[in-house]
Amino acid sequence: MTRDWLQSALEAAGIQSARLLPLWRFMWIVSIVVFVLVVAAALWAVARHRRDAAPPPSERGMTRAILGATALTIATLFAFLVLDFSTGRAITRVPHNPLVIRLTGHQWWWEVEYDDSIPQRHLRTANEIHVPVGRPVLFQLESGDVIHSFWVPSLAGKKDQIPGKENSVWFQADTAGIYRGQCAEFCGYQHAKMALLVIAVPPDSFSKWYDSQLQPAAPPADSIAARGQSVFVSSACVMCHTIEGTQAGSNVGPPLTHIASRRTIAAGTLENTRGNLAGWIVDPQRIKPGANMPPNGLSSADLNALLTYLEGLR
């Protein structure tokens, strides 16, 4: 699996994450200072206790120490309050004219829908989110089953997706790159295998990608691919997936119109290669036990034709 995808809350690549970093650093520094002071006080108390002749501390001295520690604690908490409040206000204010994406969490994959005032330009895809660099993106978050949580560490903080309730969060990628995200709320057996990729590209590249994704699936390029298309629409695949331009129009599972253009399959679980795709189609329960996709008992010839067809869906 490729390892050049950035996934670190300490490497800010956008406005949101950059504003969260000072709060995290302040908390980290305060935690270290408190830890050092507590350990030092414990060691001092042990050393003092071992000295039998050491006089007990005066009542006035104890009172001063307690008052000083209390005042320092109150000042630290107040500083946290001010910094947290200012950070919260800064990251919740949505900028003008954002790109709107409806993101729905399912067990265990991500449904991605790009909103547009022109119905014909409404785009539905899965597990990969392409965004233009320098433009804010507003996510309308929903859940199709249980509580999930959307988190792309390098771009923004966490936000829950709660059944029956719509949340929202926004971020802006200021640097082109691929950023790995994941579900941050335990959502069942395969919670650990519910990842996504945010791919930030220049605005002109994003426009080209968007226009290409709006196109129907490419027709089969040869007789083997044509047989693969026939296998797809005549098997259980058609009951769950969509391929625009064919009879497959179900929205139960991820859309597959341009599956060959994606970097991973099974929500970031496997790199999108022919071998991995074959293993996933034949026995997804071995790779992701509990997933809603059942095994498929295809013959070798049918499987090979289906793979050839799917590899042409770019």
Side-chain angles (χ1 to χ4, degrees):
M1 179 75 68
T2 305
R3 298 300 183 199
D4 58 351
W5 303 335
L6 187 60
Q7 185 183 16
S8 172
L10 304 182
E11 297 184 59
I15 296 175
Q16 297 276 54
S17 51
R19 290 187 180 276
L20 289 169
L21 263 181
L23 179 61
W24 181 88
R25 286 171 177 158
F26 180 67
M27 181 180 67
W28 181 67
I29 292 171
V30 169
S31 299
I32 290 178
V33 172
V34 170
F35 175 78
V36 171
L37 290 177
V38 169
V39 171
L43 293 176
W44 176 81
V46 170
R48 186 179 181 86
H49 177 72
R50 288 179 175 178
R51 290 182 297 174
D52 297 332
S58 65
E59 183 177 344
R60 177 176 296 180
M62 287 294 295
T63 301
R64 288 177 177 175
I66 292 173
L67 290 176
T70 302
L72 181 60
T73 301
I74 292 174
T76 302
L77 292 176
F78 185 76
F80 268 118
L81 176 64
V82 172
L83 185 57
D84 182 70
F85 181 75
S86 61
T87 301
R89 290 197 63 181
I91 66 176
T92 54
R93 190 183 300 113
V94 182
H96 177 66
N97 191 33
L99 173 67
V100 180
I101 298 176
R102 182 173 299 277
L103 185 68
T104 304
H106 299 276
Q107 290 178 309
W108 292 274
W109 62 283
W110 305 88
E111 183 177 7
V112 186
E113 298 178 88
Y114 291 80
D115 193 19
D116 196 282
S117 57
I118 303 175
Q120 291 80 2
R121 291 189 61 79
H122 180 87
L123 175 61
R124 180 174 175 266
T125 182
N127 299 323
E128 289 190 5
I129 304 172
H130 289 245
V131 300
V133 171
R135 182 179 177 184
V137 183
L138 174 63
F139 290 90
Q140 298 172 337
L141 303 176
E142 296 181 350
S143 172
D145 34 55
V146 300
I147 297 177
H148 301 280
S149 186
F150 174 53
W151 188 32
V152 186
S154 298
L155 296 174
K158 304 172 185 176
K159 197 73 170 185
D160 284 347
Q161 296 165 277
I162 303 172
K165 175 179 173 60
E166 182 177 299
N167 278 341
S168 63
V169 67
W170 73 274
F171 63 61
Q172 176 178 306
D174 292 328
T175 304
I178 302 176
Y179 306 97
R180 189 179 186 274
Q182 63 191 57
C183 178
E185 182 75 26
F186 180 73
C187 56
Y189 193 25
Q190 293 301 324
H191 162 70
K193 293 182 178 179
M194 186 175 172
L196 57 86
L197 296 179
V198 175
I199 301 159
V201 296
D204 56 342
S205 297
F206 172 77
S207 296
K208 293 177 181 178
W209 172 84
Y210 197 96
D211 290 339
S212 69
Q213 294 291 303
L214 290 173
Q215 301 303 312
D222 53 39
S223 59
I224 296 178
R227 178 179 176 179
Q229 184 185 60
S230 178
V231 170
F232 186 93
V233 299
S234 62
S235 67
C237 305
V238 76
M239 302 299 294
C240 295
H241 300 286
T242 295
I243 295 181
E244 297 291 344
T246 72
Q247 302 171 27
S250 177
N251 292 327
V252 175
L256 304 180
T257 306
H258 300 287
I259 184 176
S261 66
R262 297 176 195 160
R263 290 163 174 78
T264 68
I265 58 174
T269 303
L270 298 171
E271 190 175 356
N272 191 1
T273 65
R274 186 181 180 94
N276 286 339
L277 188 57
W280 175 251
I281 292 172
V282 171
D283 191 5
Q285 297 302 314
R286 180 182 60 83
I287 298 168
K288 210 168 180 177
N292 290 327
M293 183 171 170
N296 291 278
L298 299 175
S299 66
S300 298
D302 283 348
L303 177 61
N304 182 66
L306 178 59
L307 292 171
T308 300
Y309 172 61
L310 293 177
E311 286 182 322
L313 301 180
R314 295 190 172 275

